[in-house]
Amino acid sequence: MHKLYDFIEARERLGTVTVTTKLLHSDVFSDECGNDVYIKPENLQRTGSFKVRGAYNKICKLSDEEKKCGVIAASAGNHAQGVALAAQKLGIKAVIVMPKHTPLIKIESTKRWGAEVVLHGEVYDEAYQKACELQEEYGYTFVHPFNDEDVLEGQGTIALEVLEELPDADVMLVPVGGGGLVAGVAAAAKLKNPTIKIIGVEPEGAACALAGLQAGKPVELKEASTIADGAAVKLVGDLTLQYIKQYVDEIVTVSDYELMEAFLLLVEKHKLVAENAGILSLAGLKKLSCRGKKVVSIVSGGNIDVLTISSMITKGLIVRGRIFSFSVNLPDKPGQLVAVSQILAKQDANVIKLDHNQFKNLDRFHEVELQVTVETNGEEHIANIIEAFAQQGYMITRLNSSSLLEE
């Protein structure tokens, strides 16, 4: 286990490579959870995530002989770029094995930092096996994304930065995938300030750390199903689980819907873009039982493609009640669309989509079904629209938000 000076030395080691990401106070997230919330924006870090911290610290501590042999890693995202940049800065060879169907933008970003990319396998596990084979064949040093003392030591430097800027922080929320970030942050934070509370936040569909804690040992999940792909880990590290047991106060889980909501708020109110795994800590704010405390949420990364951004914004609007879809049965006679439009206009609901289908309601020959999607200002506005229709004799049916989110 680490001592405080280990993390202090790691921070000095990273001084010329990483950006000190300053805390941002968030009025909107403070209001949402009843605490005084600060964001640690590691999405603004070099390579767009915290991963460069652990990768550089690990590679920097290798012996001269190990550096001559080069390093290898398996990754489909942030770890790949962190290892590539670290190796480039230290002037050594880096080989990254990525699954064949890794998005081209991630492959090119990794190459841009000077790494040799090997595409192999359909999923991460197959890429990992290939990396192990290449390591054995060529004598590379393997840089694990989370289950490594030097890697988690590098990640822990985030806690030192936070507590230097906000020494009286009460709570720190940390995203959890394989556990390297939360292990390092929790250890460094507790060694610096034993009274601070550390809460790890996992996606409901990939809660491997929580499963490990409950079983007392790492337990492999049957599947990892979550939009937080960067945290879609089936098996927590055995090393990181030891740190979690010793230093982490609580693990909470959040749903994909809660991630969508947090994403929208971050983009709309702070003009910051983060990846789904990166905002786990923001989604976790609503799970806090405390009030009036100084809380820091670590936003761990921002590498997300444009199409996913668009989808997340739309889905976030639905979850927040900013988009409302409903159906209503209308008499099959002229003037009904005008009546519906007038009700919506009086309620200041902007129509986004309208589907008027005379053939959809075949069981009721004198009625047609109208499906409408409107832009709204939240749940109170939606309730007002429903009431306005009822007063005019129209019974509307709210379309299931889960079906809309799947479109």
Side-chain angles (χ1 to χ4, degrees), residues 208-273:
C208 63
L210 192 58
L213 283 176
Q214 290 169 347
K217 61 181 181 180
V219 176
E220 186 167 4
L221 305 175
K222 291 182 179 179
E223 62 175 355
S225 177
T226 172
I227 60 170
D229 54 298
V233 179
K234 291 183 181 179
L235 185 68
V236 70
D238 56 353
L239 174 66
T240 56
L241 185 61
Q242 290 177 36
Y243 276 80
I244 291 169
K245 285 178 181 178
Q246 180 166 346
Y247 294 112
V248 177
D249 295 280
E250 186 182 359
I251 298 283
V252 300
T253 62
V254 296
S255 69
D256 284 353
Y257 293 140
E258 288 164 328
L259 285 171
M260 294 168 193
E261 188 176 4
F263 181 90
L264 178 66
L265 286 175
L266 186 66
V267 169
E268 189 173 37
K269 303 301 183 182
H270 288 286
K271 313 302 182 265
L272 284 174
V273 175

Side-chain angles (χ1 to χ4, degrees), residues 136-195:
E136 193 169 326
E137 184 177 353
Y138 294 101
Y140 300 130
T141 296
F142 194 91
V143 182
H144 198 278
F146 52 84
N147 205 43
D148 183 282
E149 291 276 7
D150 295 328
V151 169
L152 68 85
E153 181 182 272
Q155 322 303 26
T157 59
I158 294 173
L160 299 187
E161 289 179 14
V162 168
L163 292 174
E164 184 176 281
E165 200 174 347
L166 192 70
D168 57 344
D170 298 300
V171 182
M172 210 178 297
L173 281 86
V174 190
V176 180
L181 177 60
V182 74
V185 166
K190 292 281 190 178
L191 290 168
K192 182 78 173 173
N193 176 10
T195 64

Side-chain angles (χ1 to χ4, degrees), residues 108-120:
E108 292 304 316
S109 295
T110 305
K111 287 181 177 178
R112 192 169 65 245
W113 293 113
E116 175 187 328
V117 174
V118 175
L119 298 177
H120 180 85

Side-chain angles (χ1 to χ4, degrees), residues 10 36 52 102 131 151 209 232 290 343 356 360 388-389 407:
D36 195 18
V52 66
T102 299
V151 169
C290 60
I343 294 171
H356 181 249
K360 202 163 188 176
F389 271 92
E407 289 183 0

Side-chain angles (χ1 to χ4, degrees), residues 29 32-35 37 171 173 197 199-205 210 250-259 261-262 279-291 295 297:
F29 284 106
E32 287 279 313
C33 73
N35 289 288
V37 175
V171 182
L173 281 86
K197 187 173 184 180
I199 299 176
V201 188
E202 285 191 295
E204 283 180 359
L210 192 58
E250 186 182 359
I251 298 283
V252 300
T253 62
V254 296
S255 69
D256 284 353
Y257 293 140
E258 288 164 328
L259 285 171
E261 188 176 4
I279 54 173
L280 283 163
S281 60
L282 293 175
L285 286 167
K286 286 190 173 182
K287 303 299 173 81
L288 293 176
S289 57
C290 60
R291 294 293 180 270
V295 179
S297 283

